[in-house]
Amino acid sequence: MAKVKPPNPDELVSDISAAMPLRAAGFLVTLYGDAVVPRGAEVWMGAIIETCAQVGFSETLVRTAVSRLVAAGQLEGARRGRRSFYRLTASAQAEYAEAAGLIYGAPDPCGWRFVYLPAEGADAVMSGLERQGYARLRAQLAVGPARGPVPPDLLAFEAEPTGATALLPQFVAQMFNLTPHARAYADLIQQFAPVLPLAPRIGGPQALALRLLLVHGWRSALQHDPRLPKEALPKDWPGHAARALFARLYLALSPAADSHIAAHFGAETAGLTDSEPRDHPYLTQLREMAAQAGGA
């Protein structure tokens, strides 16, 4: 029987990036948040172009996206000689820092919240709540995870389930459409699970590209998911397996990815010199999640 040839790392990057709904501006924010901000540095435009080329973005598209991010107040540039350098603005760094807790951290615990809406403008407010993960019970009543402050001008009731709590998954199945979220996690697993056994042998440029794609896909799945209490989810909820895979694969790709950043970014930047970001606040949590999943 002929041996099955393992996928080429370049082909893995190409196949995964082609299957994901990537936009240059969004990918650039992921690049900065994951690879640059933990080291507190700015990056030469040439390094940005080289990294984005790994996932299929042309130089023209990257330069256009950078210009738009500058105009939107998310990037700021500086010139040194003939070279341009860019860093996230303070507001963009704060925005990504908030997202980082969601991306790299353990699941955030939450309870339940019922929200009553005033009659005036109820449809528009309800649509906004639904985008935040709430389910419509009536025209002016919604239920969702008790996470963050209560929206202004709304009446909220914090709730704790009691009694036949085994019915929670049934309640959720009736109130919430979890199908697209389950599919997003299942797709993530399908795309990235084949990478895990190959990760130790993947070179730096491909390891960085795959890690950025992993973060990008995981962040997208999490941000759309209402992230309901664990006891209310189906026992086979694919989000649990996706979280374990994310932690294990991120750690497996990081040695080569971070070495590549230090060697190829650091030579053209101010400050990117460490092979591993010493102040990355979530590596310990990622290792704990990987260990719990049997990945240590």
Side-chain angles (χ1 to χ4, degrees):
M1 181 180 293
K3 282 188 176 182
V4 177
K5 187 177 179 181
N8 180 285
D10 287 323
E11 292 176 355
L12 282 172
V13 173
S14 177
D15 291 346
I16 292 173
S17 58
M20 294 177 68
L22 282 180
R23 292 186 177 181
F27 185 77
L28 280 170
V29 173
T30 298
L31 188 160
Y32 270 87
D34 185 68
V36 180
V37 169
R39 296 166 177 81
E42 56 193 13
V43 178
W44 173 51
M45 186 65 164
I48 299 173
I49 292 169
E50 179 184 294
T51 303
C52 290
Q54 289 283 328
V55 299
F57 292 126
S58 68
E59 178 177 344
T60 300
L61 189 58
V62 172
R63 289 187 181 277
T64 300
V66 167
S67 296
R68 288 176 177 171
L69 288 171
V70 170
Q74 292 188 282
L75 287 180
E76 55 189 6
R79 290 193 67 84
R80 294 194 182 89
R82 298 176 62 185
R83 287 180 169 172
S84 298
F85 294 77
Y86 293 90
R87 66 167 66 237
L88 286 182
T89 61
S91 60
Q93 287 193 44
E95 183 179 338
Y96 196 89
E98 183 177 346
L102 174 65
I103 297 167
Y104 307 103
D108 52 332
C110 69
W112 293 94
R113 179 180 290 160
F114 289 85
V115 179
Y116 176 77
L117 292 62
E120 185 177 353
D123 285 344
V125 176
M126 182 65 76
S127 296
L129 287 173
E130 288 175 329
R131 287 192 295 272
Q132 297 174 39
Y134 282 78
R136 183 191 303 250
L137 298 177
R138 295 183 180 178
Q140 295 174 245
L141 185 65
V143 62
R147 184 180 290 114
V150 176
D153 302 322
L154 303 184
L155 175 64
F157 302 87
E158 306 292 318
E160 183 70 28
T162 60
T165 54
L167 292 176
L168 274 172
Q170 182 177 325
F171 168 76
V172 165
Q174 185 174 358
M175 295 293 107
F176 295 83
N177 179 17
L178 296 183
T179 299
H181 310 302
R183 186 181 305 117
Y185 288 125
D187 288 346
L188 192 80
I189 294 169
Q190 183 180 19
Q191 289 166 351
F192 287 98
V195 181
L196 187 58
L198 305 174
R201 302 188 299 276
I202 294 177
Q206 297 88 355
L208 176 59
L210 287 165
R211 194 179 79 177
L212 292 173
L213 290 169
L214 175 68
V215 171
H216 199 80
W218 174 238
R219 179 186 184 184
S220 176
L222 283 175
Q223 287 183 322
H224 290 93
D225 182 4
R227 307 191 321 274
L228 300 174
K230 184 177 180 180
E231 62 272 14
L233 295 170
K235 291 183 179 179
D236 59 350
W237 181 242
H240 304 325
R243 181 178 293 277
L245 174 63
F246 172 78
R248 295 174 64 188
L249 184 54
Y250 188 97
L251 293 170
L253 292 169
S254 287
D258 287 322
S259 293
H260 177 75
I261 292 169
H264 295 271
F265 284 29
E268 306 290 352
T269 64
L272 286 180
T273 55
D274 294 330
S275 62
E276 180 174 301
R278 289 170 295 180
D279 58 346
H280 194 309
Y282 297 105
L283 285 179
T284 299
Q285 291 190 48
L286 285 168
R287 291 185 181 112
E288 289 175 356
M289 286 191 288
Q292 292 170 4

